[in-house]
Amino acid sequence: MPTPNEEETVVYAEERQQAMAQLVAERGRLSVAALAEAYDVTTETVRRDLSALERMGLVRRVHGGAVPATSLAVIEAALSERDNASTDEKDRIAAAAVDLLPPPGGTVLVDAGSTTARIVQHIPRDLPISVFTHSVSVASRLASHPSVELHLLPGRVRGTTQAAVGPDTVSSLERLRVDVAFIGTNGLTVDHGLSTPDPEEAAAKRALVAAARRVVVLADASKLGVEATVRFASLEDVDTLVTDQAASESFLATLAETGLEVVRA
């Protein structure tokens, strides 16, 4: 028979676990660090809670966090769907990222993605730069920019992301050396680095990263603490992360300890 204090602890744990399950269901995916910060408990407590919730069939454990029990980890949302999610945060991230553009005459790579595509609208109309991209969406938005010299990279276009991928894309990128690359990602963790579900997409992103003197990753808070199937870069390959105010303070502090520059928009 539990003592009154033990009974109170059990009840509190059950209430916290129920709240965690509801939050994971609402957000779609949450990291251990974010849950620990949200409920003011240790990461060890969160892991125990998630294990209990998984046994009850309410969540599914993934590396670094949890997703709803009905989630499939490798589902990749279409660009049109992602473009309508977290729009305010993505706009702020893109606006902050423009401060990292090279000076006049510089060269830039812009990755495919719903956040990276938003950079286009913030590029000053009087800044002469050369932009290389494998994204049909980015290219279409830049085609009428008065001061941008646009280069669209070759390859097979994936319908999901509207990005050119394949050997031709990678080969073209291997011949480039640009000042700055703006990269999107489906997930970012300390252990797994930057990742995406599709192997061909990952190969193109890997080549984008290798082609740049400075690599800037644009990722809203929903991507942090998440791991997709295929890693395309480690944190050591990245210079700067631009994210939003919803990102976990403790997670960003851990990233900063690795030497990564973090900008919160």
Side-chain angles (χ1 to χ4, degrees):
M1 183 108 179
T3 66
N5 285 341
E6 288 172 338
E7 187 173 312
E8 182 179 342
T9 301
V10 170
V11 171
Y12 177 74
E14 290 176 350
E15 292 175 349
R16 184 180 64 245
Q17 288 166 9
Q18 289 173 3
M20 280 186 185
Q22 183 174 351
L23 191 61
V24 170
E26 291 172 354
R27 301 281 181 86
R29 181 162 188 160
L30 282 171
S31 68
V32 169
L35 288 166
E37 185 173 333
Y39 295 100
D40 193 26
V41 293
T42 65
T43 55
E44 290 75 13
T45 296
V46 170
R47 291 188 180 94
R48 287 195 297 270
D49 286 345
L50 293 180
S51 294
L53 290 170
E54 187 172 47
R55 288 193 297 272
M56 291 184 276
L58 297 177
V59 304
R60 186 160 61 86
R61 293 289 304 276
V62 294
H63 186 79
V67 297
T70 55
S71 277
L72 292 176
V74 297
I75 286 179
E76 187 177 11
L79 181 61
S80 57
E81 180 183 336
R82 289 184 284 124
D83 201 39
N84 292 321
S86 305
T87 54
D88 291 341
E89 291 84 355
K90 290 175 181 178
D91 283 333
R92 287 194 292 270
I93 290 170
V98 168
D99 291 339
L100 304 174
L101 282 168
T107 51
V108 176
L109 267 170
V110 180
D111 188 13
S114 57
T115 307
T116 50
R118 282 173 160 78
I119 290 177
V120 172
Q121 68 197 57
H122 297 288
I123 296 177
R125 306 289 285 178
D126 59 350
L127 177 64
I129 56 173
S130 295
V131 177
F132 297 80
T133 186
H134 68 140
S135 166
V136 174
S137 176
V138 169
S140 65
R141 298 184 193 194
L142 272 178
S144 60
H145 197 292
S147 59
V148 168
E149 181 183 281
L150 176 63
H151 301 263
L152 180 58
L153 299 171
R156 176 184 65 83
V157 176
R158 291 187 71 219
T160 304
T161 59
Q162 298 178 26
V165 296
D168 290 341
T169 309
V170 172
S171 177
S172 295
L173 286 164
E174 287 174 346
R175 294 193 292 269
L176 293 179
R177 189 66 169 164
V178 301
D179 296 314
V180 182
F182 293 101
I183 307 294
T185 186
N186 294 79
L188 187 156
T189 65
V190 174
D191 294 334
H192 195 50
L194 282 67
S195 54
T196 192
D198 183 76
E200 283 194 306
E201 197 92 31
K205 288 178 179 291
R206 194 173 297 116
L208 282 159
V209 169
R213 296 183 181 89
R214 183 177 188 183
V215 177
V216 179
V217 174
L218 312 186
D220 63 74
S222 69
K223 310 294 176 56
L224 306 184
V226 173
E227 291 184 348
T229 310
V230 187
R231 178 171 63 180
F232 63 87
S234 65
L235 293 186
E236 288 74 18
D237 299 319
V238 177
D239 298 289
T240 305
L241 165 68
V242 186
T243 188
D244 58 70
Q245 294 294 325
S248 161
E249 292 276 5
S250 59
F251 184 76
L252 294 184
T254 301
L255 293 180
E257 289 174 1
T258 70
L260 182 65
E261 178 188 20
V262 176
V263 176
R264 297 182 79 181

